[in-house]
Amino acid sequence: MAETKEIIIALVGYILGFLSPIVGIIAGIVIFFTQRENPFLKKQAKFIIVFALIIWAITIICITQGLYPSL
């Protein structure tokens, strides 16, 4: 089972991926390359990157379809 520190790191990565997908992708990459020996964080880093990419794609689609104004 993952330790509290690892869970907090993953949670912060997901929050960053939701609030700012570019920062989330960077955070996922940093976690992936700095925590290679930790299987939990390595797996979560991949999920953070994918999550941030999905949020980014949804945002682009919403902006191009006029669902909300561009920022």
Side-chain angles (χ1 to χ4, degrees), residues 2 7 9 11-12 14 16-17 22 24-26 33-34 36-38 40-41 48-49 52-53 55 59 62-65:
I7 293 171
I9 291 171
L11 184 62
V12 168
Y14 284 112
L16 288 173
I22 294 173
I25 292 170
I26 293 169
F33 285 113
T34 59
R36 285 186 175 221
E37 68 281 350
N38 188 329
F40 174 77
L41 284 178
I48 291 168
I49 293 168
L53 287 172
I55 295 295
T59 304
C62 289
I63 289 172
T64 57
Q65 296 301 315

Side-chain angles (χ1 to χ4, degrees), residues 16-32:
L16 288 173
F18 181 74
L19 295 177
S20 177
I22 294 173
V23 175
I25 292 170
I26 293 169
I29 291 170
V30 168
I31 293 169
F32 182 80

Side-chain angles (χ1 to χ4, degrees), residues 58-71:
I58 290 171
T59 304
I60 299 274
I61 290 169
C62 289
I63 289 172
T64 57
Q65 296 301 315
L67 297 176
Y68 58 86
S70 62
L71 303 175

